[in-house]
Amino acid sequence: MSHRMNTVVVLMTGFSINAWPQVSYSIRVNASTQFQRFEGFGATVTPFEEDGVFHRHDFSAPIVVSATPAQKDAIAGLLYGRGSGQLGIARSRFFPRRFEETNDNNDASLFQESSYTWGLFNAITDFVATAQSRGLNRHFASFGGGLVEEWLRARNSQGEVTCRLDPSMVDEYVEMELRAALRYREKGETLEYLAVTNEPDSAWQNGTCTFIDPATFAEVVRRLGNRLRTSGLNTKLVITDGIAPRSSKPYIEAVLNSAEAAQYVGAIAYHSYDGYANGFSLLENSAKGQLPADILQDRRDLRDKAAAHGWTFWMTEVCWCFNDPTRTGGRSDYELARLRLNHLYDELTEAGAEAFDIMNAYFISFRRPDTLIEVRFRADGSLESFGLTNLGRMIGQFSMALEPGSRRVYVDRVADPAVRPVAFLRTDGTPAVMVLNNTNAPVTMNVTLAGFPTTPNIMSVLTSREGAMWQRSSVTVAAGVATITAPPLGIATITR
């Protein structure tokens, strides 16, 4: 239950609120009622060594870029570190590719080692090692889809390469992914999870072609899982890293219909290209508490399947994906980031997601609304500078407060659905509470903290609003109650 009263106060949170009538709510957080275990926040890492990847998105960017080991270490620290000013994300996805650009041989049971080129792959595993030293907790590899090598794809009647996996190449496709998993081991890394095919449900090539059908997908899962175990690898398979929950269902069902395939699965993962990616009306309605019931039910259906099999449940990709800056409708980067936090809130509280991953860990300004860190290159391709984006700082309001293994716990909802609190029991037994305020006025929250093994007497407060990111202060907890103010169209976080 929440209680509302009108008052006027001034708090030292980087803004003056005298100009607004103050809205105040009292809410109760109860750690005795717990929900999903949260694995953390993440993003996909694009190796600097992948020539042309930045240039393809912005032709003014250099084709060949570079970063020094010290710069990579500093970026890893900013992403995964848990010190002051660091994001503390826990996860990253990588796309190993270009290591078998032509078929090694025509025998899927035998590796032709001289045919593999490991330069780009080694850059990935080297960065993984650096990132782990800085705090990376979980990484996984994703393959296939639109990125798969041409020699694996079928030809049409004119002999042209299509998007589809050649049915005669299923074992070769399995062999390629097995070889990659073995390479991780050779480089001293453990590949705990592997997504068999990125977005198998995505129809590209004029919207008429998908890379793999559900039955073949399930067969790849079965054969790859078997070969991984035979090779002494305990890598768990991720299904499906699909473009959206609804279109992923036929693939997941095909795997579930094969007990031999399903035994190798460890996670259900999905992308949010079903309205949450760049649907302004959906996200703005969500910020008012008007939720897309059918879209969220699709997620719950997958969540229930994951829970029934003891698998983890991840949201692994979302982006605005603008290729034209005018498509923002005049919304600032900050506004886009605040809307993304409303998406995050829905995934946490309505879908029960156990991880939330942004599109890019770092990228050029072309993808600023979709990346945590913006990188800038000199004309010669060398990395000139990098820094957190608005999205990075807004995600940081959560990621800095939550270690992997934190549990979402009960919190009262308030009368105004545009004010959206969420709370967690951290692994050290202390609380973390975030209040996302989608109204035009500051909102004061009197937060009663109950059921926590440890409640500090003084807690840290972090607030963000447009033009005033990461404003820090502290609050005294008196008789189990902490009072904080969430800025207008902003967010407040309290934690140890």
Side-chain angles (χ1 to χ4, degrees), residues 320 322 328-339 369 390 466:
W320 292 98
F322 295 132
T328 65
R331 297 169 182 83
S332 66
D333 281 357
Y334 174 83
E335 273 299 291
L336 297 177
R338 182 178 61 82
L339 289 175
N390 280 317
E466 187 152 24

Side-chain angles (χ1 to χ4, degrees), residues 470-491:
W470 283 9
Q471 303 294 303
R472 300 178 188 275
S473 60
S474 61
V475 61
T476 299
V477 181
V481 179
T483 300
I484 61 170
T485 295
L489 298 176
I491 184 171

Side-chain angles (χ1 to χ4, degrees), residues 37-45 76-82 86-94 127-128 131-140 192-193 314 354-358 361 372 395-396 398-406:
R37 177 186 181 276
F38 193 64
E39 295 187 18
F41 296 87
T44 298
V45 171
L78 187 54
L79 286 169
Y80 310 108
R82 303 203 63 85
Q86 297 176 315
L87 287 182
I89 69 169
R91 303 160 41 85
S92 274
R93 178 180 63 171
F94 296 85
F127 186 82
V128 167
Q132 287 175 328
S133 73
R134 289 296 193 167
L136 174 66
N137 180 261
R138 171 156 291 157
H139 63 95
F140 71 102
E192 190 176 0
Y193 288 91
W314 303 337
E354 296 172 332
F356 187 91
D357 299 340
I358 293 296
L372 303 176
I395 291 292
F398 285 79
S399 60
M400 291 191 296
L402 301 178
E403 303 95 337
S406 298

Side-chain angles (χ1 to χ4, degrees), residues 150-464:
E150 287 191 2
W151 61 268
L152 284 164
R153 298 189 220 154
R155 265 61 175 174
N156 61 21
S157 58
Q158 287 77 43
E160 301 166 329
V161 175
T162 71
C163 86
R164 299 185 190 281
L165 175 65
D166 186 333
S168 69
M169 288 290 184
V170 169
D171 281 325
E172 291 288 351
Y173 187 53
V174 168
E175 180 201 37
M176 182 187 71
E177 296 193 6
L178 172 64
R179 187 65 191 91
L182 290 168
R183 184 64 178 178
Y184 271 93
R185 184 170 68 183
E186 292 164 4
K187 292 286 289 180
E189 299 297 337
T190 299
L191 184 61
E192 190 176 0
Y193 288 91
L194 185 158
V196 174
T197 302
N198 178 62
E199 296 184 347
D201 51 330
S202 176
W204 59 289
Q205 203 176 58
N206 299 319
T208 62
C209 181
T210 53
F211 174 68
I212 191 170
D213 62 81
T216 305
F217 179 85
E219 185 61 16
V220 169
V221 170
R222 185 187 70 82
R223 296 185 195 182
L224 178 59
N226 179 267
R227 293 199 66 180
L228 287 165
R229 298 299 179 271
T230 302
S231 301
L233 294 173
N234 292 319
T235 303
K236 301 172 186 176
L237 300 184
V238 178
I239 58 172
T240 62
D241 219 13
I243 197 166
R246 186 173 302 173
S247 52
S248 295
K249 287 181 183 180
Y251 293 85
I252 294 170
E253 291 291 348
V255 173
L256 290 175
N257 287 336
S258 168
E260 189 177 353
Q263 67 178 316
Y264 302 119
V265 174
I268 287 181
Y270 61 95
H271 301 170
S272 287
Y273 299 113
D274 54 1
Y276 271 110
N278 51 24
F280 289 127
S281 61
L282 186 154
L283 287 162
E284 288 167 350
N285 285 336
S286 171
K288 302 171 188 174
Q290 301 167 9
L291 306 181
D294 57 338
I295 290 176
L296 289 170
Q297 187 58 50
D298 290 334
R299 285 157 168 73
R300 295 186 193 107
D301 291 344
L302 297 191
R303 177 199 65 196
D304 292 345
K305 293 181 190 301
H309 291 82
W311 303 336
T312 190
F313 182 57
W314 303 337
M315 199 297 294
T316 50
E317 184 184 308
V318 67
C319 72
W320 292 98
C321 300
F322 295 132
N323 54 15
D324 178 353
T326 63
R327 288 180 59 197
T328 65
R331 297 169 182 83
S332 66
D333 281 357
Y334 174 83
E335 273 299 291
L336 297 177
R338 182 178 61 82
L339 289 175
R340 184 60 63 212
L341 286 199
N342 281 279
H343 172 205
L344 165 61
Y345 183 91
D346 290 351
E347 298 286 2
L348 289 172
T349 63
E350 300 292 335
E354 296 172 332
F356 187 91
D357 299 340
I358 293 296
M359 171 66 95
N360 297 117
Y362 55 82
F363 216 78
I364 55 176
S365 61
F366 179 86
R367 284 280 185 252
R368 188 185 296 116
D370 300 317
T371 188
L372 303 176
I373 293 174
E374 180 184 344
V375 293
R376 305 172 188 86
F377 298 101
R378 300 182 182 89
D380 66 1
S382 60
L383 180 62
E384 181 176 23
S385 62
F386 57 88
L388 292 174
T389 62
N390 280 317
L391 177 63
R393 290 182 182 274
M394 290 294 265
I395 291 292
Q397 291 275 160
F398 285 79
S399 60
M400 291 191 296
L402 301 178
E403 303 95 337
S406 298
R407 287 268 181 185
R408 187 171 69 87
V409 301
Y410 173 84
V411 59
D412 288 335
R413 298 199 177 189
V414 300
D416 186 344
V419 180
R420 315 186 84 186
V422 63
F424 293 84
L425 169 63
R426 289 162 36 103
T427 55
D428 63 1
T430 63
V433 182
M434 299 80 178
V435 179
L436 180 57
N437 177 15
N438 294 296
T439 73
N440 290 308
V443 173
T444 294
M445 306 292 287
N446 303 304
V447 184
T448 298
L449 302 166
F452 291 92
T454 303
T455 300
N457 293 325
I458 297 176
M459 298 185 71
S460 298
V461 181
L462 184 70
T463 66
S464 288

